[in-house]
Amino acid sequence: MWGYNMELAWRGLRHFPRITLLNVLALALGLGATVTAQTVTRLLSGDPLPNRSGSLYAVQMDARSKADIKESSSSRLPDLLPWLDVQQLQHVRPATPQTAVINTDFLTVSGTVGGAVKEVKNVSGLQVQSAFFDMFAVPLLQGRAWSTRDDEAALPVAVISSELSHRLFGDASALGQSVQIGGKLFRVVAVSGVWKPYPHFYGLGMCVYACPAEEVFIPVAAAREQGVRLASFSTCGTQSITKPDAAICPYLGFWVQLSTAEQRADYRQMLTRYADTQHAAGRFANGGASAVGLQDVHVFLDAHHLVPVSARFGVWLSLSFLLVCLANVAGLLLTRFLRSSVELGIRRALGASRRAIFSQCLLEAGLIGVSGGVLALPLVGLGLYLVRLQPVAYASVIRLDWSVALTLLLLSLVASLAIGTVPAWRASVVEPGLQVKEN
């Protein structure tokens, strides 16, 4: 019976080619626009660290003086903390996983193998602390990250990527080798695998979307001790950029790992007490709970508006367009089935059940859905190609993957069956006697 109903459904579609073509085109256009907009939004708002984002928190603290606040036009809590406060917070809670993070662009990284010196220019890197690798799930292929004691001793050690290791040392092991970073020697203690969270949430000042993968990680304290140049002093309050106070500047991103609500509440209370202490000492212009904050990765991304308003608006606009297309398809299907009421009535008169008629009509709707989904695939590809041509920062990362294609096909089938249910039911309840008598 299934095969027979499928054959009748296929014949029905061929018998009304214009209505069939209109249905397929309307469904394909609606699905193509919606999936294109959803793909862009999903890529821009994806989870950069699955299974970790919910427990990683950016520490916010208003460490500004009255002069800083007077010169600032922003009322939002700063995302960067002075180096002095980062150190003191870590001393208050030494057992809590915490790390400072600051971007660094190394003009040249060099290594020596067999007496020959190899250089790699314009290498992206980070100055971090020992807890960073576990907190941010950086895979280490060889060796291990430096320890907390190494941080405190400001040992000149480094973790480099496997790609940089191959470019500097070839097939030889990089462990124990010395690399020259910013004119200073650092000993390689580990080699990392592929690690490129997207969006680049931990270094928004440098890059957000099409960012190169970090290839060098060095300790913050060692970098300061060795005089490694930062990418820039993005903010130093009212400090001189050329001669900043070494105890306060640079400002760094500060992240903490808190797994439970109790840990979050306790850590926030500690931040509040610390801000009150600094406010009483005259360093901070503000104190209390309003001077501190904790933002997990998703809240942090939303606060920085990493998903453009145009992308969110495009999703709602495309969904509205899809609803219009689905309504048109439903109307065309109803018209199509009612025009076939004579044939369906004869089938009922010959003994076909209402279930059989309903199945035949629903199969026609399903075939239209599958055809619309197949036609929508190249339309989605065209839509994403047009997005990549736009002069926007995220254009280069827009792409179509197989998961989107499979989702599109499934969505088209489900949508067609959903909108085809009522027209198929209307066709199945037509009385066969009236149709046979009238014709």
Side-chain angles (χ1 to χ4, degrees):
M1 182 61 71
W2 173 267
Y4 180 65
N5 285 334
M6 179 66 74
E7 182 181 354
L8 291 177
W10 178 247
R11 286 182 179 179
L13 293 177
R14 294 176 59 187
H15 188 62
F16 297 93
R18 293 182 180 178
I19 294 180
T20 300
L21 182 60
L22 286 175
N23 281 328
V24 172
L25 286 176
L27 190 59
L29 289 173
L31 289 171
T34 302
V35 173
T36 299
Q38 290 282 7
T39 299
V40 172
T41 304
R42 183 181 64 85
L43 288 173
L44 297 182
S45 59
D47 190 346
L49 290 175
N51 303 322
R52 295 294 180 97
S53 297
S55 61
L56 286 181
Y57 289 82
V59 177
Q60 297 177 299
M61 183 174 291
D62 194 352
R64 298 173 296 177
S65 64
K66 291 182 179 180
D68 294 334
I69 293 178
K70 187 176 296 184
E71 291 186 3
S72 175
S73 59
S74 175
S75 59
R76 188 169 58 88
L77 283 176
D79 298 314
L80 303 176
L81 275 65
W83 172 238
L84 173 65
D85 297 302
V86 168
Q87 290 179 302
Q88 291 185 0
L89 289 175
Q90 288 178 326
H91 288 155
V92 173
R93 289 295 177 88
T96 302
Q98 305 166 92
T99 182
V101 181
I102 188 168
N103 289 83
T104 305
D105 284 339
F106 306 115
L107 297 179
T108 304
V109 176
S110 60
T112 304
V113 177
V117 178
K118 292 186 178 181
E119 291 187 348
V120 178
K121 298 184 179 297
N122 300 322
V123 177
S124 295
L126 291 175
Q127 294 183 23
V128 297
Q129 293 175 298
S130 57
F132 175 85
F133 299 93
D134 183 62
M135 290 173 58
F136 286 75
V138 181
L140 299 181
L141 304 180
Q142 302 175 32
R144 63 174 181 83
W146 61 84
S147 64
T148 305
R149 291 184 178 180
D150 296 338
D151 272 325
E152 295 172 351
L155 290 183
V157 293
V159 174
I160 65 175
S161 69
S162 57
E163 180 179 353
L164 181 61
S165 172
H166 181 74
R167 294 170 69 182
L168 290 176
F169 305 107
D171 295 332
S173 174
L175 297 183
Q177 302 279 6
S178 293
V179 292
Q180 196 171 62
I181 301 173
K184 307 296 181 179
L185 288 180
F186 287 76
R187 180 172 56 86
V188 178
V189 296
V191 176
S192 64
V194 177
W195 183 77
K196 192 177 180 182
Y198 175 84
H200 196 265
F201 66 95
Y202 49 88
L204 297 179
M206 297 294 295
C207 181
V208 179
Y209 298 109
C211 307
E214 277 81 16
E215 297 187 88
V216 177
F217 306 87
I218 59 176
V220 176
R224 292 170 58 81
E225 186 76 19
Q226 298 293 321
V228 176
R229 185 184 66 86
L230 296 171
S232 65
F233 288 104
S234 58
T235 174
C236 291
T238 56
Q239 307 279 336
S240 167
I241 291 180
T242 55
K243 294 182 179 180
D245 186 340
I248 298 177
C249 214
Y251 283 20
L252 307 97
F254 188 51
W255 292 82
V256 59
Q257 187 171 13
L258 305 168
S259 302
T260 66
E262 291 77 13
Q263 290 178 350
R264 292 191 292 272
D266 186 48
Y267 197 88
R268 184 183 291 273
Q269 289 178 1
M270 182 272 292
L271 289 176
T272 303
R273 290 193 298 269
Y274 180 83
D276 286 337
T277 301
Q278 299 303 314
H279 175 65
R283 280 194 59 220
F284 294 1
N286 299 317
S290 61
V292 299
L294 288 173
Q295 291 184 332
D296 67 21
V297 174
H298 297 293
V299 174
F300 185 81
L301 294 177
D302 289 338
H304 286 80
H305 307 292
L306 290 192
V307 181
V309 176
S310 59
R312 296 187 185 276
F313 177 74
V315 171
W316 290 109
L317 185 63
S318 63
L319 285 175
S320 302
F321 180 62
L322 176 61
L323 290 177
V324 173
C325 292
L326 292 178
N328 287 329
V329 172
L332 290 172
L333 283 175
L334 181 59
T335 302
R336 154 74 183 86
F337 294 153
L338 292 180
R339 290 183 62 181
S340 302
S341 58
V342 175
E343 298 175 8
L344 298 176
I346 293 175
R347 280 200 68 196
R348 289 291 314 280
L350 293 176
S353 64
R354 288 183 176 179
R355 178 178 295 181
I357 300 299
F358 180 81
S359 299
Q360 174 189 338
C361 296
L362 202 60
L363 281 174
E364 285 193 34
L367 289 174
I368 289 174
V370 173
S371 302
V374 172
L375 181 59
L377 277 176
L379 295 180
V380 173
L382 176 61
L384 296 179
Y385 172 74
L386 294 177
V387 173
R388 287 195 295 271
L389 295 180
Q390 302 304 309
V392 290
Y394 55 84
S396 61
V397 302
I398 301 301
R399 64 188 184 279
L400 176 65
D401 54 38
W402 285 108
S403 63
V404 174
L406 293 176
T407 301
L408 173 59
L409 293 176
L410 180 61
L411 178 62
S412 63
L413 179 60
V414 172
S416 63
L417 292 177
I419 62 176
T421 300
V422 173
W425 174 78
R426 287 287 304 274
S428 66
V429 298
V430 172
E431 291 296 334
L434 293 177
Q435 294 298 330
V436 172
K437 182 179 180 180
E438 291 178 2
N439 296 276

